[in-house]
Structure formats: structure tokens, C-alpha cells
Amino acid sequence: MNQEELLQRAAEERATIVARYKKGRQEGAEIDPWEDPAFEIYHVTDRYGFIHDHRITERRDPDELRLERERAKKWCKMLQNWESSSTKDKLRKRVYKGIPDSLRGQVWKRILNLATIREEQSGKYEEMRELAWRWSSDIRQIDLDVNRTYRDHIMFRERYNLKQQELFNVLGAYSVYNLEIGYCQGMSQIAALLLMYLNEEDAFWALSVLVSDRKFSMHGFFIPGFPKLLRYQEHHDKIMNKFLPKLKKHLDKNGVDTGIYTLKWFFQCFLDRIPFKLTLRVWDVYLLEGEKILTVMAYNLLKLHRRNLTRLGMDDILQFLQVHLEQTFEFDEDVTMESLQKCMDELKRAKLDYAGPSPPNELPKRPFGLFKEPAFEQKVGRRSSEFSSVERNTRESVILRRDLAATAAMAESPPTTHANGHAQRHSNSEVPSGLPEYKWKSKTLPLSSVPRSKRYKELNDVKSSKKTILVRIEKSSNLHR
């Protein structure tokens, strides 16, 4: 097909997808049976709207209901006097205790200052939505992801229903509003969570605040190379090495690198990794406190479960962190949030509560809302190359970090006793045969002592064939290039 035919096909496909969302579930809508699973509403929908395939036996404690009603009354008064000094004094304490679910949307809207943003940006969301329907090169991927986002939730269960329409519109509009990012997988669940408590336009501006405001700066998570993710994983490792060294060594020994289990923790603030009720409590605090909650909660989670984790092997560790914790967290929400506050104080004393503000390479470089017609490759959904150099270097950095951490943990592990009763040991003054030795600032150091930022620098320099590197790897005679 020539370029004109490819462009025509892409335009027709985009128009078809948009038309389906505009039509929704009206008579005559084309919905494949596999896209619209049936469900039985009685006995299988929990208080948050999630659908279960078994009867729900859990009953809320009357005391808990009474307490929530009392808190709701206090929150109503706070909302009526939001700008008062008394509200500001009480806000943090009450957020940590939990925002009543019936008022969560109103409180989130106030915390993020959405009313002011909507007034300042009047008409902009509708403009971006219209542009997305006509031009967004991410429409096809957004359509695929909408159809698999929270399909176990009553709001998003039915194909092309109101909330799926809103989710499609928010993600499409943002893909042309922020052209540096466009649409990235992972945004769909964040936007869906916001839509559970906010209307369509409020959810769009809330997503915009999360990505671009310095308080959250999610922009650095989604741009090529994921620089903020790498920086937060490095900071997480500093916390682990200082406060949970035994667990860190155990994870490294089993090949469970920070990059494996922290992806959804940092990208999506723990969505799908802890019970939804606890997720909401964490998001309440995240919206109030900002990005520092990500690394503090990561430390809190591992600290609470450290004893279980140290008894598990690699596969069981991943199963525990990625599946088990969401189903059976073992600590109730109040205990977890109290522990979170204690962890915050503990890390503050060590000056490790915050990874620091985003450097320039993680911040937006182009103004928002200034649409530019996409290039040919974007219009037809074609990558300009298989992977960019930034993406390749990032992938290689993660692989190297994982391998080096595992190597260090194995090198520092207790000696292995063989059948003949003799223990195999390595001298403290030499590197085991076949393993790399690191020199930094003219000193030979254990691998775990080399700053991770230097390892990244070393990798990038080697890949770009530069002469000067900050860390030099001395190859042993048995280590092949």
C-alpha cells in the first residue's frame, strides 16, 4: 500500500472506533459477545463496585459504619469551610484516618484544585477531545486498553457504556494535550480510578495535574527511558540497604530486582498490588502529600511483610508481591496507615523520605494543549524504529543492574558445604573466579558499594564507546566479553 492508502486506512479505522464510542450502547450498537460478558449483580458486587464470582459474606461492622457516618459529618463541615485555618490544621490528620467514600470525589477535587483549573482552561478539554477524535494516533491502543481496564468493576463492565466512553475520551484528549507522552499503557487504570470519583472533565484535569504538577511529576515516569522510575528505584535501594539489608540481600540472591516488583508501585501508586480499600487510603495520602509517598509506602509494605518474604524463593516472592498482597494483605488499613506515618518519620530522620525534586530531564519541555498534526508514521501507527537508543540503553541498564545485584548477593552469601564436608569459601581480598571486579576512584570495592548511578554511567559510556568512564570493570581471566 502507498502512503495515501495507508493514511486513508488509518483515518477510517480511527473514525470507526470513535463512532462506536459516540454511539455507546444505543440500539444498533455493534458489540461482539466476547466484549460484553454477562454478570449477575446480586450478591457479587462489593461496596466499591467490583464484581466477584462468589457470594460476598463480609458484613461491615456496625461500629465501623457509625464511625464513618461521624467522620462524614466532620468532613462535610470541612468542605464548607475549606479555606479556613482550622481546616488546614485538621486536614492531614483526617486524610490519614481516611476520607469517607461518599465524599472522596469532592475532597480529591478540592485537594487538586480542579475547579480553578477548569475555570482557567474553559473549553480546552472539549477542544482536545475533538482533536483526538480526528487526529490522535493512539486511538487504536486506547480502544484496546479501555476494553481491558477494570472489567471486573460495574462501572466499566459493559462495552461502550458511559464510563468506558468517558475513559476513552479522557485518554484520547490527553494523548493530544501532552504530545511528549501521548498515551502510555498504565495511564488507563489511573484515569479509570479518577473516573470512579470524578466526572469526565475533572478526571482529565486531575490526570493532567498528576503528570505535570511538581508535587507529583508523573511525566518522568512515562517519557522514553523512564528516568524517574530509575531514580526512584535507586532511592528505594538506598532505603533497603540502610533499613532492610537482610531482606535486600535475600531479594538480590533470588534475582528479584527492584525493577521487577516496583513498576506498578511507582507508575500507578500501587494500583492492583494491594487491596482496593487500602489503595484508596494510599491515594488519599498521595494526593495530599505528593510523590514522596511512593517510596515511603514501598518501604512500609516491605517492612510489614519482611518476615514472610525472607522465607520465600524467587517465584514465591514474585507471587507474594504481585498477587498475594492484593488478595490477602494480612494487616488492616488503619494499622497500615499508622505504620506509613511511622515509616515517614523514620525516613525523615535519615533524610531518605524524599528522592528529591525532578531534574530538568524529567520535566515537560513543550507547552501543553498546542496541537501539532502527527507525522506519517504516527498517523498509520508505525514505529520509526524497533527501539530508540534511550529505550535500548534503559533495557540494558535494568538487565545489568539485576545481574550485578544477583552476583553480589551470591558472592556475599554464606559458604556452601559440599558432600565431603569442606566449605567452599572466597577470600575477602579477592574476587571469585569469573566475576567482575569494580574500581571506583582508584579503589577496589565490593560490587554492592558501587553507587548505582555510576553503574548506569559506566554502561552508557561503554555503549557509546567513550574513553572516559567513572567506573571501570576489570575483567578476570575467566570472564568473557
Side-chain angles (χ1 to χ4, degrees):
M1 300 178 72
N2 59 35
Q3 286 195 4
E4 187 174 340
E5 290 171 332
L6 287 171
L7 288 171
Q8 179 65 25
R9 186 178 70 176
E12 290 174 355
E13 181 183 36
R14 182 168 53 249
T16 299
I17 292 172
V18 170
R20 288 175 179 171
Y21 281 93
K22 285 185 176 181
K23 190 173 185 64
R25 297 182 64 83
Q26 297 178 29
E27 185 177 353
E30 298 179 10
I31 303 174
D32 292 331
W34 67 269
E35 288 189 301
D36 201 30
F39 66 93
E40 178 186 345
I41 191 166
Y42 297 105
H43 307 306
V44 294
T45 306
D46 66 24
R47 67 173 299 213
Y48 297 105
F50 285 94
I51 300 162
H52 303 268
D53 58 2
H54 54 82
R55 184 183 180 93
I56 298 174
T57 58
E58 180 184 3
R59 292 185 180 180
R60 299 188 66 194
D61 188 327
D63 290 337
E64 181 185 351
L65 291 170
R66 179 182 52 77
L67 180 61
E68 185 164 329
R69 284 194 293 268
E70 290 177 358
R71 285 180 175 172
K73 291 178 182 178
K74 295 177 180 178
W75 275 98
C76 285
K77 291 181 181 179
M78 287 176 60
L79 286 168
Q80 293 170 0
N81 301 280
W82 188 257
E83 299 299 331
S84 68
S85 58
S86 61
T87 294
K88 293 177 182 178
D89 293 338
K90 299 172 184 176
L91 184 60
R92 187 176 186 273
K93 182 179 179 180
R94 288 187 176 172
V95 167
Y96 271 92
K97 285 185 176 181
I99 301 171
D101 199 60
S102 60
L103 299 173
R104 184 165 270 118
Q106 295 183 52
V107 177
W108 285 8
K109 187 174 179 178
R110 294 293 185 92
I111 290 175
L112 296 174
N113 198 28
L114 298 183
T116 301
I117 295 173
R118 284 189 62 164
E119 185 177 350
E120 293 173 349
Q121 299 287 344
S122 179
K124 177 58 72 173
Y125 173 66
E126 290 79 4
E127 177 191 346
M128 294 295 105
R129 186 176 60 188
E130 293 288 338
L131 285 170
W133 287 344
R134 183 179 179 188
W135 292 110
S136 177
S137 56
D138 295 308
I139 286 294
R140 181 168 53 183
Q141 186 61 54
I142 291 171
D143 175 48
L144 292 172
D145 288 349
V146 165
N147 195 31
R148 54 195 179 203
T149 299
Y150 286 131
R151 294 307 300 277
D152 58 342
H153 194 282
I154 195 169
M155 287 186 180
F156 301 96
R157 182 73 167 180
E158 295 182 324
R159 192 65 169 119
Y160 303 120
N161 72 355
L162 178 61
K163 281 299 178 181
Q164 280 206 5
Q165 289 175 310
E166 292 180 356
L167 181 59
F168 176 80
N169 290 338
V170 167
L171 296 174
Y174 197 79
S175 73
V176 296
Y177 180 74
N178 184 346
L179 293 175
E180 281 186 69
I181 293 178
Y183 169 73
C184 291
Q185 288 180 303
M187 285 184 173
S188 60
Q189 282 186 298
I190 295 173
L193 175 69
L194 296 171
L195 283 167
M196 291 178 194
Y197 293 94
L198 303 171
N199 65 37
E200 183 177 322
E201 185 172 352
D202 283 341
F204 172 83
W205 291 117
L207 179 62
S208 175
V209 171
L210 292 175
V211 173
S212 60
D213 191 279
R214 293 292 184 98
K215 184 177 177 181
F216 308 99
S217 294
M218 280 190 166
H219 188 89
F221 285 134
F222 294 114
I223 57 179
F226 318 116
K228 185 168 183 176
L229 177 65
L230 298 179
R231 184 166 63 88
Y232 267 54
Q233 288 174 346
E234 181 175 353
H235 185 75
H236 175 70
D237 279 352
K238 289 179 182 177
I239 294 172
M240 292 287 287
N241 285 324
K242 182 172 180 60
F243 292 102
L244 297 172
K246 291 182 180 179
L247 177 58
K248 179 67 169 66
K249 188 180 294 184
H250 178 71
L251 296 178
D252 289 343
K253 184 178 179 180
N254 283 278
V256 181
D257 179 70
T258 302
I260 298 175
Y261 64 85
T262 60
L263 280 174
K264 295 201 78 164
W265 291 5
F266 295 157
F267 265 118
Q268 298 179 317
C269 190
F270 300 90
L271 289 175
D272 286 347
R273 288 295 180 261
I274 54 178
F276 190 73
K277 187 176 180 181
L278 176 58
T279 300
L280 292 174
R281 297 282 297 272
V282 173
W283 267 79
D284 291 341
V285 177
Y286 174 59
L287 296 182
L288 179 70
E289 301 273 30
E291 59 189 359
K292 63 182 177 182
I293 289 299
L294 297 175
T295 49
V296 178
M297 183 60 191
Y299 168 54
N300 181 38
L301 191 155
L302 293 175
K303 183 179 181 180
L304 288 172
H305 297 280
R306 63 190 183 278
R307 290 185 178 86
N308 285 333
L309 287 167
T310 52
R311 292 194 291 262
L312 302 176
M314 181 182 71
D315 292 340
D316 291 332
I317 291 171
L318 294 177
Q319 175 74 9
F320 187 89
L321 293 174
Q322 297 177 350
V323 179
H324 176 82
L325 284 183
E326 184 192 10
Q327 299 171 352
T328 310
F329 194 78
E330 299 177 15
F331 297 89
D332 71 26
E333 296 77 25
D334 290 333
V335 170
T336 304
M337 299 309 290
E338 288 173 9
S339 177
L340 178 63
Q341 289 182 283
K342 292 177 182 178
C343 287
M344 177 77 76
D345 294 337
E346 186 178 6
L347 295 179
K348 269 185 180 178
R349 289 193 294 270
K351 298 182 179 179
L352 287 172
D353 59 308
Y354 185 35
S358 295
N361 68 309
E362 295 178 11
L363 299 175
K365 295 179 174 56
R366 299 170 61 177
F368 298 123
L370 299 180
F371 177 72
K372 179 181 178 183
E373 187 175 331
F376 169 74
E377 288 81 5
Q378 293 174 307
K379 287 181 180 179
V380 299
R382 178 188 298 168
R383 288 183 66 102
S384 57
S385 62
E386 185 178 358
F387 288 106
S388 69
S389 59
V390 173
E391 290 169 330
R392 285 196 299 270
N393 281 344
T394 300
R395 180 177 181 274
E396 290 162 354
S397 296
V398 171
I399 293 173
L400 178 67
R401 182 183 66 194
R402 179 198 62 197
D403 293 344
L404 295 182
T407 298
M410 291 299 293
E412 297 171 7
S413 62
T416 303
T417 302
H418 296 286
N420 59 11
H422 295 289
Q424 178 181 331
R425 293 183 179 273
H426 297 300
S427 168
N428 292 331
S429 60
E430 64 181 12
V431 177
S433 176
L435 299 181
E437 179 182 7
Y438 282 76
K439 288 192 175 182
W440 183 52
K441 294 184 179 179
S442 302
K443 295 180 181 179
T444 300
L445 299 172
L447 178 61
S448 57
S449 301
V450 179
R452 176 165 296 164
S453 58
K454 307 303 181 185
R455 298 182 207 166
Y456 293 144
K457 177 67 175 174
E458 168 262 323
L459 175 72
N460 293 333
D461 284 344
V462 169
K463 292 298 178 184
S464 59
S465 302
K466 292 181 181 178
K467 297 293 182 181
T468 305
I469 57 177
L470 296 180
V471 179
R472 183 164 59 92
I473 301 179
E474 295 293 338
K475 304 286 183 177
S476 73
S477 59
N478 296 328
L479 186 65
H480 300 289
R481 290 183 181 273

